[in-house]
């Protein structure tokens, strides 16, 4: 063992993509459907950027994790099939990007089961990984996920390496593969005046610097680099070139493994 990872591995890098499409905007306000420019910008993600990202991952020999809301999966069946066919993970991300923290327990259960059925119907396999929309779980989310056969959640921020939720209760045990806002493209790139999201758009070099620094710190401490991206944002051509530059930078460090989140979670559960 080298630290927390098997063998000589020093750090694990996970590239993950939340394929929100229009769902995140429509959850916030169904009236956003009346704004064609906003909708087209969101639709760019699954329609244009995601296939480009899949080709880029093939070029670099990397398997990634894609979290797909049920509504987006229903309206982009070919994309979800292609993600699974290329060996990537298809994870659960709500139906219409509903944060569980805003739902009552019955709504949350219904949406969870609806998403499972949609993804299983397309890929032939039930998802084993879950990422909550907007990274907001409810107080019953962990119990619901464990009771519905999930291996892991990727929504919390209590560590910078995987950890186990409810370790003393085998029936409720769940692996947490944590995230952080500092490793998310949305705070850096979202600009949507119609939705009152007008934060400054960072240039790709600035974001590269922040992400590279975070990777270097996590590498030094032997932890996990879990990068969250959205095709409609990271998939713009200049930003995607930055992501390729980051991949190349990561690969200059010895003993780094690129892995799907589901494989990290299975490793952690086995250990």
């Amino acid at each position: 063992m080298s630290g927390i990872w098997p063998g000589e591995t020093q750090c694990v890098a996970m590239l993950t993509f939340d394929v929100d499409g229009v769902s995140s905007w429509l959850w916030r306000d169904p009236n956003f459907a009346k704004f064609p420019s906003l909708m087209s910008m969101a639709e760019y993600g699954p329609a244009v950027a995601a296939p480009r990202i899949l080709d880029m991952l093939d070029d670099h020999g990397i398997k990634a994790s894609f979290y797909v809301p049920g509504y987006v999966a229903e309206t982009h069946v070919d994309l979800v099939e292609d993600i699974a066919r290329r060996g990537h993970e298809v994870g659960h991300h709500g139906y219409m990007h509903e944060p569980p923290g805003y739902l009552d327990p019955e709504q949350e259960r219904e949406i969870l089961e609806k998403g499972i059925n949609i993804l299983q119907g397309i890929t032939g396999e039930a998802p084993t990984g879950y990422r909550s929309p907007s990274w907001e779980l409810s107080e019953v989310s962990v119990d619901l996920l464990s009771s519905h056969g999930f291996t892991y959640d990727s929504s919390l921020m209590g560590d910078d390496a995987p950890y186990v939720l409810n370790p003393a209760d085998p029936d409720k045990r769940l692996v947490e593969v944590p995230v952080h806002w500092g490793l998310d493209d949305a705070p850096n790139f979202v600009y949507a005046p119609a939705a009152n999201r007008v934060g400054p758009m960072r240039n790709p070099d600035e974001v590269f610097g922040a992400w590279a620094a975070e990777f270097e710190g996590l590498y030094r401490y032997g932890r996990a680099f879990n990068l969250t991206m959205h095709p409609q944002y990271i998939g713009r051509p200049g930003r995607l070139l930055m992501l390729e530059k980051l991949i190349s930078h990561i690969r200059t460090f010895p003993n780094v493994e690129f892995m799907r989140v589901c494989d990290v979670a299975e490793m952690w559960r086995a250990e």
Side-chain angles (χ1 to χ4, degrees):
M1 293 284 288
S2 176
I4 64 173
W5 303 108
E8 298 301 314
T9 299
Q10 171 71 14
C11 182
V12 165
M14 293 164 277
L15 303 184
T16 76
F17 301 88
D18 295 358
V19 193
D20 294 347
V22 300
S23 69
S24 58
W25 297 121
L26 294 178
W27 162 252
R28 287 176 172 86
D29 187 346
N31 287 319
F32 285 159
K34 301 175 182 178
F35 298 160
S37 184
L38 178 66
M39 292 294 99
S40 66
M41 182 176 69
E43 182 61 21
Y44 176 92
V48 177
R52 182 179 291 157
I53 289 166
L54 289 169
D55 289 343
M56 183 274 291
L57 292 170
D58 281 352
D59 290 343
H60 289 273
I62 292 173
K63 301 303 181 187
S65 296
F66 290 77
Y67 300 92
V68 188
Y71 176 81
V72 176
E74 286 179 325
T75 53
H76 296 84
V77 172
D78 290 348
L79 173 62
V80 177
E81 290 176 338
D82 195 25
I83 292 169
R85 180 184 61 79
R86 298 197 200 205
H88 304 292
E89 176 186 6
V90 178
H92 198 304
H93 199 46
Y95 178 74
M96 192 64 79
H97 204 269
E98 309 92 341
Y102 292 88
L103 305 174
D104 66 42
E106 183 59 22
Q107 288 176 316
E108 185 175 355
R109 182 190 63 77
E110 290 175 356
I111 290 169
L112 186 67
E113 292 176 355
K114 186 175 185 178
I116 292 171
N117 292 335
I118 291 168
L119 296 179
Q120 186 170 16
I122 296 173
T123 68
E125 297 181 355
T128 62
Y130 178 82
R131 174 170 286 166
S132 63
S134 300
W135 289 342
E136 287 300 341
L137 295 174
S138 77
E139 59 186 8
V140 302
S141 295
V142 172
D143 289 352
L144 276 173
L145 292 171
S146 58
S147 68
H148 283 76
F150 283 84
T151 301
Y152 77 88
D153 169 69
S154 183
S155 312
L156 301 178
M157 306 185 192
D159 206 330
D160 46 31
Y163 56 101
V164 177
L165 303 174
N166 295 328
D169 188 340
D171 294 330
K172 297 181 179 180
R173 192 175 299 147
L174 199 70
V175 177
E176 177 62 37
V177 185
V179 292
H180 192 270
W181 291 111
L183 287 174
D184 186 330
D185 63 351
N188 297 291
F189 295 138
V190 175
Y191 188 86
N196 199 33
R197 293 289 298 274
V198 291
M201 283 190 288
R202 310 292 181 188
N203 73 63
D205 286 343
E206 183 180 0
V207 177
F208 171 84
W211 289 353
E214 188 70 4
F215 167 76
E216 290 164 16
L218 292 165
Y219 178 87
R220 175 176 178 178
Y221 288 102
R223 311 300 280 179
F225 181 79
N226 187 6
L227 183 60
T228 300
M229 295 165 284
H230 303 76
Q232 60 187 293
Y233 307 131
I234 197 66
R236 299 297 306 181
R239 298 167 184 170
L240 199 56
L241 290 179
M242 178 272 287
L243 178 57
E244 289 195 271
K245 179 182 175 182
L246 181 67
I247 290 169
S248 297
H249 177 68
I250 289 171
R251 282 188 159 154
T252 66
F253 289 75
N255 302 322
V256 176
E257 300 291 337
F258 283 93
M259 297 180 68
R260 303 180 303 175
V261 183
C262 58
D263 298 323
V264 173
E266 285 290 350
M267 177 197 306
W268 215 257
R269 186 167 69 167
E271 290 294 331

